[in-house]
Amino acid sequence: MAAPMRRTLVALHRTTCINLKNAEASLDVRHPVPLYLPVRTKKRYFIPPAVGVKGREEVNPEAKARAAGTVMRQQFFERPINISCTAGVLDPYVPPEGDARLSTLSKEGLKQRTEQIRQSAASQLAIRKIKEHDATFSTKDFAVQAQEIFIEAHNALTQFNKEKLHSLVTERCYPEMTRGNRYKTIRWRFIESLEPPRVVQTRCPDMLTKGNLYGQVTVRMHSKQTLAIYDRFGRLMLGSEEQPKDVLEYLVMERHLINPYGRWRLHGKIVPSWAPAKDAIIKTVAIPGPELEPWEEFDALNYEVPKPAAVQWYK
């Protein structure tokens, strides 16, 4: 009974398949095929305008290129801005003359004391705003933290560690620190702190919108440092590695407060008007030598450097 039943089922299956094929042929049913879109195959050539032809009407090149089927890239004249830091020091701190406190009996001392009271009142309001976003902020501990950031940033500068320097200074301070140092060798060393660093001013400005807050803290730092800069030939340009100098600096630290991943970074320095002038840079000058033939040798002992000719200047 099993073999006849199996033959019956096979015959029934064949009959069903034939009926389905006949139904598809009668109804013209086809399987789905990929969709092909017609593409414009006509070639269009962009003919540039003739050279030297004058008197003709000027044609809009963008419209002409669009008619020829050429896409012109849109030009944007807006300059990109960076909102991770401010463009400068807002309300910069004005150090007193000679960094000394004058007597309140004199006119200048009274004016200085009035300015200090005004600055301290504004600083207290800024400290409250900073503590709303940074609960661990303290003026006593922050001065030491700012000094450590200052030392790490200058060590990264001498080692040309760009990744670390970007994490320690703002985008506004980075080009100011690295400008002109490509072919130079910098030797900087922090020896000791002559006075403990302290916070002298705190500000909390906003930029673009009212809630976009930035914290700027000015730290006074008096320390002993050594600095020596060598040119690409290895000659000393500025400073000395053995002779330390006392340096009084006013550092500005900044942080984007509303950014949860923001951190305090070096933003700039305040140079008072009464600060002494910097030392002049010693530049290496190439003196042209005599024109020698390929078989001749230069004798430096018997060669005299030619002096420039005297020039008579008339008023």
Side-chain angles (χ1 to χ4, degrees), residues 146-163:
Q147 188 176 16
E148 293 176 356
I149 295 174
F150 172 80
I151 296 173
E152 291 181 6
H154 282 73
N155 289 333
L157 178 64
T158 57
Q159 300 170 4
F160 293 98
N161 191 347
K162 297 181 180 180
E163 290 77 10

Side-chain angles (χ1 to χ4, degrees), residues 88-145:
V89 181
L90 305 178
D91 192 10
Y93 173 73
V94 181
E97 182 71 24
D99 195 42
R101 181 174 296 180
L102 302 177
S103 175
T104 54
L105 299 178
S106 61
K107 183 178 179 181
E108 291 78 8
L110 185 61
K111 186 185 298 184
Q112 182 186 111
R113 186 60 179 168
T114 305
E115 184 69 18
Q116 288 179 354
I117 294 174
R118 187 188 67 83
Q119 291 181 355
S120 62
S123 297
Q124 292 298 326
L125 295 176
I127 290 173
R128 293 180 183 178
K129 290 184 179 180
I130 293 176
K131 286 186 176 181
E132 292 178 0
H133 299 82
D134 186 4
T136 61
F137 179 79
S138 175
T139 55
K140 295 181 180 180
D141 300 335
F142 181 79
V144 180
Q145 179 185 355

Side-chain angles (χ1 to χ4, degrees), residues 65-292:
R66 192 184 299 110
T70 307
V71 179
M72 295 185 67
R73 185 176 179 181
Q74 187 178 1
Q75 297 181 0
F76 298 95
F77 298 98
E78 295 84 1
R79 294 181 58 187
I81 62 174
N82 185 13
I83 62 172
S84 61
C85 68
T86 57
V89 181
L90 305 178
D91 192 10
Y93 173 73
V94 181
E97 182 71 24
D99 195 42
R101 181 174 296 180
L102 302 177
S103 175
T104 54
L105 299 178
S106 61
K107 183 178 179 181
E108 291 78 8
L110 185 61
K111 186 185 298 184
Q112 182 186 111
R113 186 60 179 168
T114 305
E115 184 69 18
Q116 288 179 354
I117 294 174
R118 187 188 67 83
Q119 291 181 355
S120 62
S123 297
Q124 292 298 326
L125 295 176
I127 290 173
R128 293 180 183 178
K129 290 184 179 180
I130 293 176
K131 286 186 176 181
E132 292 178 0
H133 299 82
D134 186 4
T136 61
F137 179 79
S138 175
T139 55
K140 295 181 180 180
D141 300 335
F142 181 79
V144 180
Q145 179 185 355
Q147 188 176 16
E148 293 176 356
I149 295 174
F150 172 80
I151 296 173
E152 291 181 6
H154 282 73
N155 289 333
L157 178 64
T158 57
Q159 300 170 4
F160 293 98
N161 191 347
K162 297 181 180 180
E163 290 77 10
K164 187 175 182 180
L165 188 61
H166 270 294
S167 64
L168 296 172
V169 301
T170 60
E171 287 74 13
R172 181 249 182 189
C173 183
Y174 181 83
E176 295 183 358
M177 292 184 65
T178 58
R179 186 181 295 117
N181 298 338
R182 184 171 184 178
Y183 300 107
K184 297 181 179 64
T185 303
I186 304 174
R187 295 286 184 264
W188 181 86
R189 186 163 54 96
F190 182 86
I191 299 176
E192 61 178 348
S193 181
L194 301 177
E195 296 181 34
R198 56 185 177 90
V199 176
V200 294
Q201 179 176 288
T202 308
R203 291 292 182 269
C204 190
D206 49 11
M207 188 174 67
L208 297 179
T209 57
K210 192 171 183 180
N212 193 22
L213 296 176
Y214 296 84
Q216 289 188 354
V217 181
T218 306
V219 180
R220 178 187 181 274
M221 193 177 73
H222 191 198
S223 60
K224 185 175 289 186
Q225 309 170 14
T226 59
L227 173 65
I229 302 177
Y230 300 90
D231 60 5
R232 58 178 179 171
F233 304 106
R235 297 182 176 91
L236 183 65
M237 295 181 62
L238 179 69
S240 173
E241 292 190 52
E242 290 79 16
Q243 183 179 0
K245 286 190 175 182
D246 299 343
V247 183
L248 178 62
E249 295 174 309
Y250 295 89
L251 312 177
V252 180
M253 311 297 295
E254 186 181 274
R255 177 181 176 179
H256 196 192
L257 296 178
I258 64 173
N259 184 8
Y261 304 102
R263 54 186 301 180
W264 291 100
R265 297 183 294 174
L266 182 62
H267 188 61
K269 292 183 181 180
I270 297 177
V271 181
S273 58
W274 44 264
K278 296 182 179 179
D279 299 337
I281 297 177
I282 304 173
K283 295 184 178 181
T284 302
V285 182
I287 301 176
E291 297 182 0
L292 302 177

